[in-house]
Amino acid sequence: MLSKNIRDDFPVLERKINGNNIVYFDSAASTLKPKMVIEKLSNFYLNNYANVHRAVHTLASESTQILEASRKKIAKFLNAQEEEVIFTSGSTMSLNLVVESFVRSGILNKDDNVLVTMVEHHANFVPWIRLSKLHGYNVLAVYPSGRFGELKLEDFNVKVNPKIVAITAQSNVTGQLIDIKKIREKFPNAIFVVDGAQFLPHAQIDVKDLDIDFLVFSAHKMLGPSGIGVLWGKRELLEKMEPFLYGGEMIDKVSLDEITFNVLPFRFEAGTPNIAGIAGFSFALEYLERIEMKKVENHIRRLTEYALEKVSKIDGVELYGPLNESQLGILSFNVNGVHPHDIAHLLDEKFGIAVRSGHHCAQPLMSILKSQSKLDVFPNSTCRASFYVYNTLDEIDKLIYAIKKVKEWFDVL
Ligand code: PMP
């Protein structure tokens, strides 16, 4: 387990919620921010901030250096080239950029096939489906055949030869880790677009080793600021792609007759970027690297195993996902007869425990959970407790106690 000192880095953990010590189990929605990131960000605003890439004055060049150092750090983290790291507002924007640009660039055409899965976050589902209606390509979805949304390798034994495979590396609902490398082997000629929003917070990805083409992720799910994320793409593909947003910074020459574009990565970064957000992302990565990603993963694994073992013993609780070692950091559940919003509300009000209730931006997956549910009524949503570096086994004990109490109050057997 990680040292207790880590908790000291997160001042918000000293807060009381309705008289109880806060238990923050909503990191899959967004993580808390360590003091170091906040202080470095404040320092950046106090001492260095100016617009980047344009002016020649000192503050501008300091800001530019800090921004480009962040790009370099992220490239190293991914084992990629700096020009391939594009800053966006987050995973959602990165995915919209990819889909729209594929269509504009003639990479994705009428009658082409795109393979997605039914466990995707809406960010990796809606853009593909929506633009298929406008542009006439086909979107096919892989259905998970395993336990409550568990994708199995054989589910990918499909007859189509997709041009694009768009897939998450980890479900934000069940926490299932998905073996991208093995799935890639099944579709060696497809363009692989990987949603790493849930996976990257506890794992270092080597994009070359994984042999993928695009990767998206968001800083706010890994201790960094919100409103900043990354699109990593293979240089040879990015160079063929039409920009998504047009404006300043992304151009080379502009006249009434002709517009030419800047080099990578700037041609995909129109307008003033989220300068402090980009700096903050590298501060968060620095913090995570100090802990070591492997230790982050091990800590979350220990918490998950403990939680799964204990919660699975509570009668009337339905737990989603594979419930084995491929499930990491997330516990999605329902209590028969109690709506997840009521559970989440009571956990907050009576115990200070923050969990998320809802469909978690994954309505297609909710329909799969519903089809296997043994609840009297499946509420089309779940309660989700998600764990990160600052959580402890004691907090999981509190959650278990609280779930049992909620059951008692609702008189659920
Ligand atoms: N994909 C997954 C798996 C996610 O968990 C999320 C965020 N919950 C997203 C995409 C979208 O990320 P963002 O809201 O940061 O754009």
Side-chain angles (χ1 to χ4, degrees):
M1 303 297 293
L2 291 176
S3 109
K4 283 210 161 52
N5 297 342
I6 284 203
R7 291 176 65 81
D8 297 338
D9 295 338
F10 296 85
V12 71
L13 292 174
E14 283 156 29
R15 266 198 69 175
K16 300 244 181 229
I17 303 288
N18 303 316
N20 295 293
N21 290 329
I22 186 171
V23 174
Y24 190 76
F25 280 157
D26 197 19
S27 294
S30 206
T31 62
L32 303 177
K33 313 304 168 200
K35 231 177 343 195
M36 176 193 128
V37 170
I38 298 163
E39 283 168 1
K40 284 192 151 215
L41 259 176
S42 153
N43 194 43
F44 171 70
Y45 268 126
L46 290 170
N47 295 300
N48 312 102
Y49 178 83
N51 210 335
V52 288
H53 295 138
R54 294 176 177 95
V56 294
H57 60 78
T58 302
L59 287 187
S61 70
E62 283 175 7
S63 266
T64 303
Q65 265 173 26
I66 290 168
L67 184 148
E68 289 308 325
S70 177
R71 196 189 308 275
K72 197 172 191 159
K73 189 167 187 55
I74 290 165
K76 194 161 168 242
F77 189 74
L78 304 175
N79 189 23
Q81 297 167 28
E82 277 164 60
E83 312 78 69
E84 298 175 325
V85 173
I86 293 156
F87 289 115
T88 66
S89 66
S91 304
T92 304
M93 180 170 164
S94 298
L95 287 161
N96 276 274
L97 186 164
V98 167
V99 185
E100 179 64 36
S101 176
F102 277 3
V103 174
R104 288 187 197 171
S105 320
I107 292 175
L108 186 51
N109 299 300
K110 192 171 178 313
D111 299 331
D112 283 343
N113 292 317
V114 177
L115 197 67
V116 296
T117 82
M118 290 295 278
V119 315
E120 300 307 313
H121 186 282
H122 293 162
N124 198 27
F125 198 85
V126 178
W128 298 108
I129 306 267
R130 186 68 197 131
L131 289 191
S132 75
K133 311 281 181 220
L134 301 176
H135 297 281
Y137 60 85
N138 308 309
V139 181
L140 305 136
V142 172
Y143 278 67
S145 65
R147 185 188 188 282
F148 282 118
E150 179 187 12
L151 272 174
K152 296 197 173 260
L153 201 54
E154 58 264 30
D155 301 337
F156 291 85
N157 294 341
V158 292
K159 292 205 175 68
V160 290
N161 195 6
K163 185 155 193 187
I164 290 152
V165 175
I167 186 169
T168 188
Q170 185 176 14
S171 161
N172 65 310
V173 177
T174 65
Q176 188 196 353
L177 300 163
I178 292 159
D179 194 337
I180 299 294
K181 217 169 173 178
K182 291 232 168 72
I183 297 166
R184 161 48 115 188
E185 282 164 16
K186 288 183 179 282
F187 305 101
N189 300 321
I191 296 173
F192 252 65
V193 180
V194 175
D195 176 355
Q198 189 62 42
F199 186 66
L200 268 281
H202 55 78
Q204 192 147 4
I205 275 193
D206 181 329
V207 289
K208 291 203 181 89
D209 179 55
L210 265 190
D211 191 21
I212 58 178
D213 301 287
F214 294 90
L215 175 71
V216 310
F217 51 104
S218 303
H220 70 93
K221 293 193 35 146
M222 44 200 302
L223 306 180
S226 59
I228 183 70
V230 164
L231 167 66
W232 168 81
K234 255 193 198 152
R235 175 192 262 277
E236 50 277 27
L237 280 162
L238 287 173
E239 268 170 354
K240 287 187 202 147
M241 284 163 60
E242 175 75 11
F244 174 52
L245 293 175
Y246 305 111
E249 182 73 16
M250 52 78 62
I251 45 76
D252 176 28
K253 292 202 169 57
V254 178
S255 70
L256 207 52
D257 304 321
E258 196 192 18
I259 291 167
T260 57
F261 300 134
N262 204 342
V263 294
L264 288 174
F266 309 110
R267 75 169 64 166
F268 290 103
E269 292 180 351
T272 300
N274 181 351
I275 304 165
I278 295 169
F281 198 170
S282 73
F283 305 149
L285 270 187
E286 195 181 322
Y287 182 89
L288 283 170
E289 282 175 345
R290 272 191 209 168
I291 301 180
E292 287 176 35
M293 276 323 229
K294 199 63 210 167
K295 288 190 183 152
V296 172
E297 185 194 326
N298 290 342
H299 180 78
I300 299 172
R301 187 168 292 289
R302 178 76 191 98
L303 296 171
T304 316
E305 283 167 2
Y306 186 75
L308 287 178
E309 193 210 320
K310 295 269 174 168
V311 178
S312 60
K313 292 196 177 117
I314 309 176
D315 287 341
V317 171
E318 192 166 78
L319 268 172
Y320 305 109
L323 304 194
N324 58 27
E325 68 292 341
S326 73
Q327 183 162 346
L328 188 71
I330 288 181
L331 192 85
S332 259
F333 63 95
N334 272 314
V335 176
N336 197 15
V338 191
H339 196 280
H341 289 337
D342 290 333
I343 300 173
H345 188 72
L346 282 169
L347 292 184
D348 178 67
E349 190 181 300
K350 304 287 184 198
F351 304 97
I353 302 174
V355 297
R356 173 82 175 272
S357 58
H359 54 59
H360 315 296
C361 300
Q363 289 183 21
L365 178 51
M366 289 301 127
S367 68
I368 309 268
L369 301 188
K370 183 176 187 165
S371 70
Q372 288 185 19
S373 174
K374 300 273 185 301
L375 298 178
D376 296 338
V377 180
F378 182 79
N380 291 325
S381 50
T382 76
C383 254
R384 180 184 70 183
S386 49
F387 315 130
Y388 208 47
V389 288
Y390 30 70
N391 293 123
T392 65
L393 294 174
D394 286 350
E395 290 182 320
I396 289 173
D397 285 336
K398 282 187 190 164
L399 174 69
I400 288 153
Y401 175 80
I403 295 173
K404 287 180 179 164
K405 278 286 168 198
V406 170
K407 268 186 57 181
E408 254 175 62
W409 293 330
F410 277 82
D411 205 13
V412 180
L413 293 177

